């Protein structure tokens, strides 16, 4: 009897371990597990940002070769984030609209596998998440974005291009023309007012406050 119990315990532990990745992280990597998590917590649904946020512009660089990886990482140019994250983006878009601006999204939910690939290839590891912790993008709780001028459709000038691995990209970098600094600080101000926190070394990256309630995920867009 004791032997059988020990055997049962062994199998149970094996099953639990099988859900963890080599870094010991729990990652939702099957559509079934994702559906079950939404059933228990509807706020965990990953929502299509383009469909939910009126007038939002997408410029999904990882669906093109125009990114630091110089290769196509996503099969389609889409952007998803958890429901409460998208609700906040809606409010931000409405507020920006009153001032003649609109959101342009570069990236949002990112499957964990892509984060691993980024880490392996990135020349400067300070600008990519370590696979041992994963990225808040993997939780559907981080968004890379900027703003456009609604009248011209053009980008509002910012300190650097997206994904520039330079010190000028820091959220508090000071040695900038006043107009550029004003644009960047305006964007950071609007985002922080609505529940996001800017990444200290990337003016375009915003973490949703409360990200720790959402699991890491590794499901491609087409399986969501
Ligand atoms: Zn980011």
């Amino acid at each position: 009897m004791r032997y059988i119990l020990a055997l049962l315990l062994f199998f149970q532990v094996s099953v639990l371990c099988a859900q963890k990745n080599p870094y010991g992280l729990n990652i939702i990597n099957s559509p079934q597990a994702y559906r079950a998590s939404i059933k228990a917590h509807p706020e965990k649904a990953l929502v299509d940002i383009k469909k939910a946020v009126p007038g939002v512009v997408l410029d999904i660089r990882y669906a093109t070769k125009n990114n630091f990886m110089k290769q196509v990482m996503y099969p389609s140019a889409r952007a998803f984030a958890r429901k409460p994250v998208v609700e906040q983006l809606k409010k931000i878009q409405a507020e920006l609209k009153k001032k003649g601006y609109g959101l342009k999204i570069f990236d949002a939910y990112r499957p964990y596998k892509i984060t691993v690939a980024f880490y392996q290839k990135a020349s400067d590891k300070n600008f990519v998440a370590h696979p041992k912790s994963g990225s808040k993008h993997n939780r559907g709780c981080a968004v890379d974005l900027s703003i456009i001028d609604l009248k011209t459709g053009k980008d509002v000038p910012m300190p650097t291009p997206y994904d520039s691995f330079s010190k000028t990209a820091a959220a508090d970098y000071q040695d900038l023309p006043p107009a550029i600094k004003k644009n960047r600080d305006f964007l950071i101000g609007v985002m922080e007012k609505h529940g996001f926190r800017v990444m200290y070394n990337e003016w375009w990256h915003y973490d949703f406050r409360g990200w720790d309630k959402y699991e890491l995920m590794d499901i491609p867009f087409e399986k969501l």
Side-chain angles (χ1 to χ4, degrees):
M1 187 62 190
R2 197 180 285 174
Y3 172 74
I4 292 171
L5 278 177
L7 204 64
L8 274 175
L9 189 69
F10 171 77
F11 279 120
Q12 212 166 11
V13 170
S14 312
V15 166
L16 284 174
C17 291
Q19 292 169 344
K20 295 202 170 186
N21 83 333
Y23 295 103
L25 296 174
N26 263 320
I27 299 176
I28 294 190
N29 57 9
S30 78
Q32 292 85 338
Y34 168 55
R35 306 253 173 269
S37 78
I38 298 177
K39 212 168 173 193
H41 301 279
E43 75 279 9
K44 289 188 178 176
L46 281 164
V47 174
D48 188 320
I49 295 175
K50 179 88 183 162
K51 285 182 190 157
V53 181
V56 72
V57 172
L58 300 190
D59 181 9
I60 309 298
R61 300 289 180 84
Y62 299 125
T64 72
K65 285 187 181 171
N66 179 19
N67 60 62
F68 80 94
M69 296 288 283
K70 306 271 182 267
Q71 51 179 296
V72 176
M73 303 302 295
Y74 295 163
S76 56
R78 301 180 74 189
F80 298 86
R82 305 279 191 174
K83 212 170 174 186
V85 179
V86 178
E87 288 306 315
Q88 292 310 106
L89 290 177
K90 269 196 227 175
K91 289 182 196 162
I92 291 162
Q93 181 77 336
E95 182 168 336
L96 288 173
K97 196 179 171 189
K98 284 187 219 151
K99 293 179 173 145
Y101 299 117
L103 287 170
K104 179 188 252 194
I105 311 275
F106 300 117
D107 193 26
Y109 162 64
R110 177 188 303 157
Y112 177 80
K113 245 184 225 83
I114 309 285
T115 288
V116 176
F118 283 1
Y119 192 79
Q120 282 161 351
K121 188 155 175 189
S123 53
D124 185 342
K125 309 287 189 212
N126 291 315
F127 286 89
V128 286
H130 195 294
K132 75 177 181 202
S133 50
S135 159
K136 291 168 189 84
H137 283 288
N138 307 145
R139 297 175 189 269
C141 288
V143 191
D144 295 339
L145 51 76
S146 188
I147 45 177
I148 57 161
D149 184 322
L150 288 180
K151 247 187 262 153
T152 62
K154 288 192 178 148
D155 293 343
V156 171
M158 290 290 168
T160 67
Y162 172 55
D163 262 358
S164 158
F165 291 179
S166 72
K167 64 176 192 236
T168 319
D172 64 351
Y173 189 77
Q174 294 300 317
D175 190 13
L176 294 167
I180 303 271
K181 208 161 93 177
K182 198 173 149 205
N183 293 341
R184 179 199 64 194
D185 293 347
F186 168 70
L187 173 61
I188 294 173
V190 174
M191 293 300 293
E192 300 214 331
K193 181 178 155 192
H194 289 281
F196 291 87
R197 177 180 282 168
V198 69
M199 176 89 107
Y200 75 98
N201 60 349
E202 300 178 352
W203 61 262
W204 59 82
H205 174 112
Y206 296 88
D207 291 323
F208 179 67
R209 291 173 194 266
W211 57 266
D212 51 332
K213 293 183 202 79
Y214 300 85
E215 296 91 348
L216 296 159
M217 295 196 26
D218 194 14
I219 300 177
F221 296 168
E222 64 276 15
K223 299 250 172 80
L224 288 173

